[in-house]
Amino acid sequence: MTQPAHTSGLRAEVALDAHAEVAEGPVWDGEAGQVIWVDIPRGEIHRFDPTDGTDQVTQVGQPVGAVVLRERGGLLLAVRDGFAELADGQLRMIAEVESDRPENRMNDGKVDPAGRFWAGTMALDSALGAGTLYRLDTDRSVHTVLPGLTISNGIDWSPDATTMYFIDSTPGTVTAYDYDRQTGAINEPRTLIEIPPDDGMPDGMTVDSEGCLWVAIWGGSAVRRYAPDGTPLGAVALPATQVTSCTFGGPDLGDLYITTASEGLSAAERAGQPQAGALFCVRTEVVGREPHRCQV
Ligand code: CA
């Protein structure tokens, strides 16, 4: 068996100097040749076209934690109030989540290999244990998967669709689960990676075609790459501390797009990292995978 390549000395460059508050959730739309991403607190969906540098913005009208592609076309969102669709620029709720809890909002999410939409919640003040991971099935039913989380965050699946990886940022852990593609059930949690608090917090992530994990480190100015067994393999350095998420894009899926945040930085910190909130990109030696499309 070939070992995954080590990745070192990579530096990401600005692709779009977006000045976002919290740029997040990048998704590569291969048909459009665009990176779709969100600015969570501003409730914005962005479509960045790397060929001409344009960035199209759609206002959603409430905070948006994640955007995913839909099999039949268009986009689905995890917004403050639950799962929703965006059709002709209009937001329509599909399933409300925690509508009795105004102190919470939906956060990161992604589509699984069978077309279900997974997304979790967190308290606006990051209260301990206030978050939950949910699963929207293709029949539009919503299932509670993991209660008692704090910041439900990055999620992805192994290329063979037998393992799910999930991040709760506050304990700083990436947990692996056995994943049943037929039912969507997850079992046998084991802590794969623990980020020491001094290094920052794991935020969003993506899994590449070799099955390795690329984990954005909030407060750590980096995206780190890990083997499927959790062994560190290298890192990408960024000139912004609050690194939020990443995904592979470009015609050959060899460009790693990375989102960052400027939220909460002091004036002095902003002066020291004027590109905080930008969308970054770095060419890598491995390629990513096409995102799954939601079957809802
Ligand atoms: Ca996040």
Side-chain angles (χ1 to χ4, degrees), residues 24 107-108 153 203-204 244:
E24 257 287 5
N107 195 41
D108 207 345
N153 235 326
D203 194 332
T244 57

Side-chain angles (χ1 to χ4, degrees), residues 62 70 76-85 91-99 106 117 119 121 134-137 139-143 296:
Q62 57 174 283
R70 196 177 200 176
L76 295 177
L77 311 176
V79 292
R80 180 192 60 204
D81 298 343
F83 293 101
E85 64 184 344
L91 185 72
R92 272 198 296 267
M93 296 307 296
I94 287 179
E96 291 200 343
V97 169
E98 299 182 2
S99 50
M106 293 206 91
F117 186 2
T121 56
Y134 295 94
R135 194 186 74 219
L136 177 69
D137 283 1
D139 64 1
R140 300 189 168 212
S141 59
V142 176
H143 303 263
V296 172

Side-chain angles (χ1 to χ4, degrees), residues 10-15 17 217 219-223 236-243 258-262 265 269-282:
L10 292 177
R11 287 197 69 84
E13 307 287 338
V14 171
D17 200 8
I217 311 293
S221 308
V223 174
V236 178
L238 289 103
T241 53
Q242 298 178 150
V243 185
I258 304 165
T259 48
T260 62
S262 61
L265 294 176
E269 287 167 334
R270 278 170 196 263
Q273 44 177 307
Q275 294 163 329
L279 177 67
F280 290 84
C281 185
V282 64

